[in-house]
Amino acid sequence: MATVSVCQYHRGGFSFENCKRNALLEADINKLGLSSPAARKTGTTICGLVYKDGVVLGADTRATEGMVVADKNCSKIHYISPNVYCCGAGTAADTEMTTQIISSNLELHSLSTGRPPRVATANRMLKQMLFRYQGYIGAALVLGGVDCNGPHLYSIYPHGSTDKLPYVTMGSGSLAAMAVFEDRYRPNMEEEEAKRLVRDAIAAGIFNDLGSGSNIDLCVITKGKVDYLRPHDMANKKGVRTGNYRYKHGTTGVLTKTVTPLNLEVVEESVQTMDTS
Amino acid sequence: MNTRGLRSQLKDSVPVTGLCPQAGPYGVQDSLRRGFSSVKNELLPSHPLELSEKNFQLNQDKMNFNTLRNIQGLHAPLKLQMEYRAARQIQRLPFLPSSNLALDTLRGSDDTIGFEDILNDPIQSEMMGDPHIMTEYKLGIL
């Protein structure tokens, strides 16, 4: 009976009821000198480029939670539609849910129009949703795909601005990856050269940024075909142990051996039935 | 259905907290039904997005109708608003879930999925609204 909302039928969506309480708790915790747990981010290197026949998207595979690696092999290239894929940087949950929602919406939309979906549609849906939430949904995305108008690549920032470019990078390792792109990008490259360039850009992010690491995933999208290469390159394989501290059998010589059988008698046997209903 | 005249019409607009005090029918603060009030609670929303989210659907509709009026003339939004009003009246009792099928079809939200379908789905909430309070609010008696 505490609010007006009790009188109207309860609507779905985000609920801001606990915000004030959370702010108070946060202030109290900070006064004690501790810190509240951080959301899992994908401090990341993601990038994409347009080549002769289509689009190549690349991503690393490390998810961090503060200063600890939460997931050594997470998948950052999300499916939006058969011809459109999206890499996500920022808060991991936000990118997951946003791409799933947009993927569903795009599918419904394409069923309603009767045509295969376009990258520009996905871009507009994403941008309108992210702007609606004013940047509180921390999802920085690289959206790429091939539709009836050719290959397209967009970068989408958490506040809702988008850029349509031939090559883009996002995430904490974006500067390292962009340096590689700026040096070696040419328009209308061949597929192998494009894959190698994206792999090198992500590797630059992995080796020079703490928030990115592990393997390199690639996604090559062309007119009729999608190659989801996961992992394309295991740049950081965990080493194999060279030595072993266990001694081999027979290292220690046996002097004497005595065997004493222990005669145990069954004193009591009780059966307890489990209630498995 | 609307038995108390103007007051029951006013409640359709979503109030912005802080601009109007939580006055009951006698003009004083209605602690029993609205809870305790504090100036700070009413002036500042608990989250910057709270107000814009509460009014989002209304603002979208207003914007769309304005655009429609500018492009196609007055009759188009007028006719659509009439249809919305008619569709909005097809409801179950206020405390029961209504499908809002006609309204959804008109709005075009029957083939979109948003956060309101995934988070806090009212069909899956554990508590039901108090039937008396909600009916009284709807009739404007509250």
Side-chain angles (χ1 to χ4, degrees):
Chain A
M1 294 244 186
T3 49
V4 160
S5 61
V6 131
C7 306
Q8 284 162 332
Y9 190 66
H10 168 57
R11 275 193 297 191
F14 288 110
S15 152
F16 298 101
E17 287 166 357
N18 291 329
C19 286
K20 288 217 168 76
R21 175 205 75 168
N22 291 346
L24 279 173
L25 283 175
E26 183 96 27
D28 282 343
I29 290 179
N30 283 336
K31 236 184 291 180
L32 289 175
L34 309 163
S35 64
S36 50
R40 182 190 292 200
K41 300 186 78 88
T42 58
T44 294
T45 312
I46 50 176
C47 65
L49 61 73
V50 176
Y51 73 103
K52 195 176 73 168
D53 305 320
V55 163
V56 181
L57 301 173
D60 72 307
T61 57
R62 174 183 287 182
T64 54
E65 204 166 310
M67 284 283 123
V68 176
V69 172
D71 190 345
K72 289 190 281 265
N73 199 357
C74 75
S75 147
K76 297 185 191 178
I77 307 187
H78 308 286
Y79 165 90
I80 303 264
S81 85
N83 56 335
V84 177
Y85 278 73
C86 180
C87 310
T91 311
D94 288 346
T95 57
E96 278 280 343
M97 295 260 57
T98 309
T99 46
Q100 280 173 359
I101 288 180
I102 297 301
S103 164
S104 306
N105 274 330
L106 206 60
E107 176 71 18
L108 287 168
H109 186 258
S110 91
L111 284 169
S112 159
T113 56
R115 300 183 174 123
R118 299 189 191 189
V119 190
T121 320
N123 176 50
R124 195 149 278 254
M125 287 180 175
L126 280 164
K127 144 211 283 253
Q128 284 177 352
M129 170 193 271
L130 290 175
F131 182 71
R132 172 177 170 179
Y133 294 105
Q134 292 291 302
Y136 281 95
I137 293 193
L141 308 164
V142 165
L143 177 75
V146 178
D147 57 23
C148 54
N149 288 337
H152 302 277
L153 185 66
Y154 293 89
S155 73
I156 305 165
Y157 292 83
H159 282 264
S161 62
T162 61
D163 288 312
K164 183 174 193 311
L165 294 166
Y167 56 96
V168 293
T169 64
M170 297 281 260
S172 56
S174 61
L175 291 175
M178 186 51 95
V180 177
F181 271 167
E182 288 286 3
D183 188 29
R184 286 159 48 183
Y185 176 80
R186 292 180 299 106
N188 286 328
M189 284 190 284
E190 296 297 324
E191 177 171 335
E192 278 314 309
E193 195 188 343
K195 277 160 71 172
R196 222 169 330 141
L197 181 56
V198 170
R199 184 244 160 243
D200 287 342
I202 301 287
I206 286 177
F207 291 119
N208 294 297
D209 174 45
L210 286 178
S212 321
S214 299
N215 313 328
I216 300 171
D217 289 348
L218 278 193
C219 184
V220 182
I221 311 175
T222 47
K223 184 111 183 105
K225 189 165 68 91
V226 171
D227 268 334
Y228 194 104
L229 305 160
R230 177 178 155 80
H232 172 67
D233 191 340
M234 304 191 78
N236 289 306
K237 226 185 278 199
K238 239 174 140 175
V240 181
R241 292 225 177 115
T242 46
N244 200 346
Y245 278 113
R246 278 179 172 242
Y247 292 110
K248 285 201 294 288
H249 276 294
T251 311
T252 317
V254 176
L255 295 177
T256 49
K257 183 164 133 176
T258 40
V259 176
T260 320
L262 285 174
N263 293 321
L264 300 168
E265 357 174 304
V266 179
V267 173
E268 193 206 329
E269 192 175 310
S270 68
V271 176
Q272 258 182 339
T273 48
M274 273 202 310
D275 186 3
T276 52
S277 56
Chain B
M1 186 188 70
N2 292 324
T3 57
R4 292 292 157 130
L6 196 58
R7 205 190 132 67
S8 56
Q9 306 275 356
L10 274 181
K11 70 164 167 36
D12 273 347
S13 63
V14 180
V16 177
T17 53
L19 294 182
C20 33
Q22 290 177 336
Y26 300 105
V28 291
Q29 214 281 318
D30 198 356
S31 293
L32 179 66
R33 298 202 177 88
R34 308 282 158 113
F36 297 118
S37 74
S38 88
V39 177
K40 190 166 79 159
N41 269 348
E42 285 174 57
L43 280 181
L44 305 167
S46 49
H47 193 275
L49 281 182
E50 189 177 354
L51 287 175
S52 88
E53 276 300 296
K54 220 178 346 171
N55 294 326
F56 185 75
Q57 195 54 51
L58 284 169
N59 287 336
Q60 278 288 90
D61 286 345
K62 255 190 246 175
M63 198 172 71
N64 288 337
F65 283 139
N66 259 320
T67 321
L68 206 55
R69 190 223 163 117
N70 290 334
I71 299 176
Q72 295 189 0
L74 184 58
H75 183 72
L78 217 54
K79 182 145 196 254
L80 276 177
Q81 275 185 317
M82 181 197 80
E83 289 178 8
Y84 278 142
R85 197 165 279 229
R88 215 174 287 145
Q89 289 180 349
I90 314 169
Q91 299 264 331
R92 290 174 172 266
L93 291 171
F95 47 92
L96 292 174
S98 355
S99 69
N100 283 325
L101 189 60
L103 199 55
D104 275 349
T105 312
L106 277 176
R107 277 217 186 102
S109 60
D110 60 341
D111 56 3
T112 44
I113 294 182
F115 283 114
E116 56 273 357
D117 301 306
I118 302 174
L119 302 172
N120 265 338
D121 194 0
I123 306 206
Q124 294 183 0
S125 83
E126 297 107 2
M127 301 211 301
M128 192 174 105
D130 185 358
H132 299 287
I133 305 281
M134 293 174 94
T135 331
E136 283 175 15
Y137 182 79
K138 175 128 191 217
L139 293 174
I141 306 173
L142 190 67

